[in-house]
Amino acid sequence: DAGVIQSPRHEVTEMGQEVTLRCKPISGHDYLFWYRQTMMRGLELLIYFNNNVPIDDSGMPEDRFSAKMPNASFSTLKIQPSEPRDSAVYFCASSPGHNIMNTEAFFGQGTRLTVV
Amino acid sequence: GEDVEQSLFLSVREGDSSVINCTYTDSSSTYLYWYKQEPGAGLQLLTYIFSNMDMKQDQRLTVLLNKKDKHLSLRIADTQTGDSAIYFCAGGTPSKAAGNKLTFGGGTRVLVKP
């Protein structure tokens, strides 16, 4: 498997524009996580899914942020409208299950978002 | 919720041992993890320890857990330049309902000098 695939790797956009980040989890993994990494706040969990169903979105900062998982192989994180303070590296991760033998979270390489 | 804290930076000479420390607040975390992030990459799991263990050794890595003090450490023996990275500790309690929702510390940047 190629691992967790995120696109784009880098995104530069103007304030007010809509941004869509994409993630393809590892095939067969039941859980998908979206994280945001900044210097100020470190690594924050935004939302995660179990079998395509959102379980906990309490980390989503504002209504401008939304995430979907229409099927087991694809998820999106959308910011509309984007603001400069949304600039960060956004990571997607997936894990097989919830037993200790299969809870390792595999991370994608991240999308570096810059909002100017 | 869980709060996990780490020191920001560690500088070490190649060949020496590195010790990265972490403190956490939620004693109910069942598992504690160490992840490594290399520049421009995502996080990669290094090792984990179950909360009822005191120590776990895996090649050059030794994890020590002091449950009383809620203190976790990662020792890297014979540190190499390739060990330069950011190291994150994290706590979690896997469950069928919640999967393995992890709370990460802020990360410790380790710089290995030749």
Side-chain angles (χ1 to χ4, degrees):
Chain A
D1 201 313
V4 176
I5 299 173
Q6 291 186 246
S7 65
R9 288 295 310 276
H10 302 274
E11 175 82 37
V12 180
T13 190
E14 289 186 346
M15 182 173 65
Q17 296 297 305
E18 177 179 296
V19 174
T20 300
L21 311 181
R22 296 173 175 80
C23 176
K24 182 179 185 306
I26 293 173
S27 176
H29 282 193
D30 289 342
Y31 296 90
L32 183 141
F33 306 82
W34 281 101
Y35 288 90
R36 176 172 70 174
Q37 185 178 35
T38 61
M39 289 291 292
M40 292 297 293
R41 293 175 175 266
L43 201 62
E44 303 173 277
L45 176 64
L46 300 177
I47 185 172
Y48 72 100
F49 296 82
N50 177 10
N51 290 317
N52 314 339
V53 177
I55 300 300
D56 184 350
D57 65 355
S58 59
M60 296 286 259
E62 297 171 40
D63 291 345
R64 299 184 295 108
F65 286 70
S66 62
K68 293 182 180 179
M69 193 164 185
N71 57 61
S73 59
F74 184 65
S75 177
T76 60
L77 178 68
K78 187 177 293 187
I79 309 172
Q80 166 62 20
S82 58
E83 296 182 5
R85 60 196 168 113
D86 301 331
S87 297
V89 180
Y90 290 82
F91 286 103
C92 175
S94 68
S95 69
H98 59 274
N99 298 313
I100 187 53
M101 298 306 292
N102 62 1
T103 58
E104 177 181 350
F106 294 81
F107 282 74
Q109 291 194 294
T111 295
R112 182 174 293 277
L113 173 65
T114 303
V115 183
V116 298
Chain B
E2 177 82 272
D3 198 14
V4 181
E5 294 193 359
Q6 301 178 236
S7 53
L8 287 177
F9 185 73
L10 175 68
S11 178
V12 63
R13 288 203 177 279
E14 188 175 14
D16 288 350
S17 292
S18 311
V19 179
I20 307 166
N21 295 302
C22 172
T23 57
Y24 59 96
T25 58
D26 187 355
S27 59
S28 66
S29 288
T30 312
Y31 295 95
L32 295 147
Y33 303 81
W34 283 103
Y35 278 81
K36 176 183 180 183
Q37 183 182 28
E38 296 183 356
L43 280 69
Q44 185 176 21
L45 180 66
L46 282 179
T47 187
Y48 66 88
I49 189 167
F50 187 43
S51 60
N52 70 353
M53 296 170 64
D54 298 324
M55 186 183 85
K56 180 179 180 181
Q57 187 153 2
D58 184 359
Q59 300 182 336
R60 292 190 298 121
L61 305 178
T62 303
V63 180
L64 295 177
L65 175 60
N66 182 329
K67 284 192 69 178
K68 176 175 170 290
D69 295 338
K70 296 180 187 172
H71 182 264
L72 181 74
S73 67
L74 174 69
R75 179 176 179 271
I76 306 173
D78 187 23
T79 312
Q80 304 297 307
T81 54
D83 295 326
S84 292
I86 303 175
Y87 291 79
F88 292 88
C89 69
T93 302
S95 70
K96 186 174 182 181
N100 195 16
K101 179 181 174 182
L102 298 178
T103 300
F104 285 87
T108 299
R109 184 178 295 273
V110 174
L111 177 63
V112 181
K113 297 180 179 179

